[in-house]
Amino acid sequence: MILQKEEILKHLRKEGLRFDERAPYEYRPIKIEKNVIETAEGSALASIGDTVALAGIKVEIGDLFEEGKANFITSVELSPMASKGFEPGPPDERSIEIARVIDRGFRSAEVLALDKLAFDDKTGYTIFLDIYILNHGGNMLDAGYLAGMAALSTLKIPKVEDETIIRDEFLNIDVLQNYVTSSTFATIEEFHLLDPNESEEDVSDVMLLLAVDDEHIVGAQKMKEGSYTQEQILELVDITFKKRKDILKVLKGDE
Amino acid sequence: MRSDGRKVDELRSPLKLRVGVLTEATGSAYLEWGGNRIIVGVFGPKDAPPHFTRPDKATLRVDYKMSTFSSKEEHGRSAPSRRSIEISKVLREALSKIVMLEKYPQSQIDIHILVLQAEGGTRVASFYAAVAALIAAGIPMRTRAFGISAGKVNDEIVLDLSKEEDNLGQADIPVCMDMDGNVLLFQLDGKVKPEELKKAFELIEGKKEFFDKMLREEFEKFYSQEISHEFRVKE
């Protein structure tokens, strides 16, 4: 159901609630299923409401782009089965933006110890993190971050012998050193809506993604044509840190 | 006896079908079959763009794709390979026979297939999942249909090769059939004698009731709305 801006605003002003009865800073239900793909070296399925993202990791070996640091490459595919609006074909600006924003967050937070995954200055592992959006109900960025983070938390590094990967033997090393969580907001006039659904995204004036670790902001992206005041951004940063605890609980599961 | 202990006509397990797993697609299905995990979304019928329009029937588009992490081996390419372009074509041709395209002139039906995890026989598994997704989309079909790959291992015709059998196999014969045994998709790679092909067809047709029953049982649940629409990879 695609709702008009006026209806959404009327409901917010009258009830203080969104059309699906959520409070402005309330997520839809978040679910994570880890280790779902046996052919991958790490994987997870994440859903936020109707939005579903599947992340899988493949590990390769090769020349390094940066001296002494393993390669880490994130890609996002908006599968055409996820929405009427998605077409098969090479990545468009939307999927490239999502992939780059997610990549920057994981890199800035040093989620993986990439230095431990280099063999020497020039050669080492390459980690391919690929995220497929399978169903689009709004807020693909947070769903992508969740699936990607959950998949990274399951990553196993295969052994290498004579410059060949042994696919079913794994190293006993811990390369996960941080967790990133993210919050995306869609702003419609004076209302900031956390975890926007598709209608809210469509009618919003401006959107903001914030990614954080325990102490730092590790990624941010303002989207759409509107603007924020500095105070507004700082307020949303505060909300993002507050929401981190709940998301971490789901991410870490029963660990 | 086969290397994994199956009988010649025994299919790999798990073999589980779920329909209605996606909310944005008109119809959808998810199939777990051995090590294959396949999700299909159908969109349409919808107006076709002018260059696709056919005055007498709908245009069917099929897009078969493997995820980059679907293989135990190396990271896959994200661009369509020559293999997936060919599979999309033979699947489209097979499905065109049983979808009542003439009901929707000047329209278009899109079928998107994503192989999340692959272990041999993905094209026939994709075909069956696509049939389920089309029915879930409410698109009229002439008949139900299914597919199985037959193979020749140690000079014997068997159904539904495992990965290990495929590596040692002398032939791979993917076949899709309707419920009258008409052959909708047929490919052959390797060497078989005519009587072996006949045997393969017989073994495959012997499974039609099994696949029909799985479809009917899943749709009974679907129409009585007993199933949740939540997508899970592991049931």
Side-chain angles (χ1 to χ4, degrees):
Chain A
M1 182 174 47
I2 300 296
L3 295 165
Q4 297 300 311
K5 188 169 182 171
E6 292 71 33
E7 296 173 80
I8 290 176
L9 276 171
K10 214 167 93 185
H11 203 76
L12 277 166
R13 291 202 171 113
K14 204 168 130 210
E15 314 277 341
L17 289 176
R18 298 150 76 169
F19 231 88
D20 54 10
E21 303 300 316
R22 278 189 289 157
Y25 293 146
E26 187 180 342
Y27 272 100
R28 293 167 292 175
I30 297 177
K31 286 181 190 148
I32 291 175
E33 198 186 351
K34 290 185 186 175
N35 290 312
V36 291
I37 301 293
E38 288 148 20
T39 48
E41 276 86 43
S43 63
L45 180 78
S47 64
I48 308 181
D50 281 341
T51 299
V52 180
L54 173 70
I57 305 174
K58 290 301 288 183
V59 177
E60 301 289 339
I61 48 175
D63 294 339
L64 301 183
F65 307 143
E66 196 182 335
E67 218 169 81
K69 270 189 153 183
N71 302 320
F72 176 65
I73 299 168
T74 305
S75 82
V76 170
E77 179 155 329
L78 308 182
S79 173
M81 72 182 65
S83 165
K84 286 180 193 71
F86 298 169
E87 283 289 323
D92 65 358
E93 63 173 31
R94 244 189 323 179
S95 67
I96 290 172
E97 181 184 42
I98 296 173
R100 289 178 59 84
V101 168
I102 292 175
D103 180 85
R104 286 198 290 269
F106 289 154
R107 225 172 258 285
S108 305
E110 298 178 62
V111 166
L112 294 180
L114 295 177
D115 51 338
K116 286 194 200 164
L117 297 174
F119 306 141
D120 50 51
D121 280 353
K122 298 239 162 18
T123 61
Y125 287 103
T126 297
I127 312 293
F128 289 98
L129 169 64
D130 296 326
I131 302 169
Y132 289 79
I133 303 292
L134 299 179
N135 205 56
H136 175 35
N139 196 10
M140 294 187 281
L141 263 169
D142 286 349
Y145 254 115
L146 266 177
M149 190 63 240
L152 288 171
S153 76
T154 69
L155 173 62
K156 290 181 293 182
I157 305 295
K159 273 191 186 159
V160 171
E161 274 173 26
D162 303 328
E163 296 177 24
T164 311
I165 295 193
I166 317 293
R167 291 280 172 193
D168 39 22
E169 287 181 46
F170 300 98
L171 297 180
N172 186 18
I173 56 165
D174 195 8
V175 290
L176 185 74
Q177 39 184 32
N178 205 352
Y179 276 87
V180 174
T181 58
S182 73
S183 289
T184 298
F185 302 87
T187 298
I188 311 173
E189 304 212 345
E190 72 270 34
F191 298 100
H192 307 299
L193 307 177
L194 174 64
D195 178 32
N197 62 30
E198 210 180 348
S199 301
E200 291 167 341
E201 281 184 350
D202 285 349
V203 304
S204 66
D205 311 306
V206 56
M207 289 178 60
L208 182 66
L209 163 117
L210 291 164
V212 297
D213 69 7
D214 281 335
E215 289 172 51
H216 306 96
I217 303 164
V218 298
Q221 187 92 337
K222 196 230 82 173
M223 293 161 285
K224 301 190 78 167
E225 292 170 11
S227 67
Y228 283 108
T229 65
Q230 297 164 32
E231 292 75 23
Q232 282 176 326
I233 290 178
L234 295 172
E235 183 196 328
L236 297 179
V237 166
D238 196 42
I239 301 296
T240 302
F241 276 109
K242 285 187 177 137
K243 291 290 168 186
R244 174 170 170 84
K245 290 178 201 74
D246 302 336
I247 302 172
L248 275 183
K249 248 182 245 164
V250 188
L251 257 176
K252 294 188 176 176
D254 37 0
E255 270 172 47
Chain B
M1 193 61 107
R2 301 163 68 173
S3 60
D4 55 4
R6 282 185 291 152
K7 293 190 288 248
V8 288
D9 69 339
E10 190 175 339
L11 305 177
R12 284 171 293 173
S13 53
L15 186 35
K16 280 188 267 183
L17 175 72
R18 274 204 54 191
V19 296
V21 293
L22 301 174
T23 63
E24 304 303 300
T26 321
S28 60
Y30 176 63
L31 182 68
E32 264 187 86
W33 182 349
N36 294 314
R37 288 174 189 164
I38 298 167
I39 185 164
V40 179
V42 169
F43 288 82
K46 57 191 180 185
D47 286 346
H51 56 286
F52 277 136
T53 302
R54 292 204 285 191
D56 54 335
K57 58 180 174 178
T59 303
L60 189 69
R61 293 202 305 177
V62 176
D63 134 60
Y64 163 101
K65 205 168 173 178
M66 311 263 284
S67 80
T68 53
F69 42 75
S70 61
S71 151
K72 192 87 195 154
E73 309 309 317
E74 71 273 19
H75 179 246
R77 296 190 307 161
S78 64
S81 62
R82 294 170 65 80
R83 174 182 173 277
S84 53
I85 290 168
E86 183 200 348
I87 292 177
S88 297
K89 175 182 180 288
V90 294
L91 287 175
R92 183 187 74 231
E93 290 166 347
L95 291 163
S96 293
K97 177 74 186 169
I98 55 170
V99 178
M100 299 178 83
L101 296 171
E102 68 281 5
K103 298 268 186 198
Y104 303 102
Q106 296 171 14
S107 302
Q108 174 184 325
I109 298 167
D110 289 344
I111 303 174
H112 301 295
I113 301 166
L114 183 62
V115 179
L116 305 178
Q117 185 178 299
E119 198 216 2
T122 62
R123 74 194 69 190
V124 292
S126 297
F127 176 84
Y128 184 61
V131 168
L134 283 160
I135 299 171
I139 292 168
M141 311 279 284
R142 259 175 265 287
T143 167
R144 291 182 289 266
F146 70 102
I148 308 177
S149 238
K152 183 171 157 185
V153 184
N154 298 330
D155 289 321
E156 187 171 32
I157 296 294
V158 296
L159 290 188
D160 194 27
L161 298 191
S162 68
K163 184 123 195 177
E164 194 187 340
E165 289 173 323
D166 194 30
N167 293 339
L168 306 165
Q170 299 150 290
D172 178 27
I173 316 166
V175 176
C176 297
M177 274 183 193
D178 67 16
M179 292 304 160
D180 296 321
N182 295 310
V183 175
L184 304 168
L185 180 151
F186 172 42
Q187 296 181 292
L188 192 152
D189 186 11
K191 279 162 82 176
V192 294
K193 295 180 188 130
E195 60 269 26
E196 290 170 331
L197 178 62
K198 185 166 177 287
K199 175 78 181 164
F201 284 147
E202 279 169 11
L203 287 177
I204 291 168
E205 192 175 359
K207 293 292 172 188
K208 71 182 178 191
E209 280 85 14
F210 171 83
F211 280 96
D212 200 31
K213 185 163 172 267
M214 183 157 57
L215 270 178
R216 279 188 284 106
E217 285 178 353
E218 179 61 13
F219 275 97
E220 270 170 32
K221 282 190 259 169
F222 179 65
Y223 293 127
S224 63
Q225 305 194 326
E226 274 175 27
I227 54 175
S228 79
H229 291 252
E230 180 188 319
F231 175 58
R232 298 183 70 80
V233 171
K234 289 193 219 159
E235 291 295 319

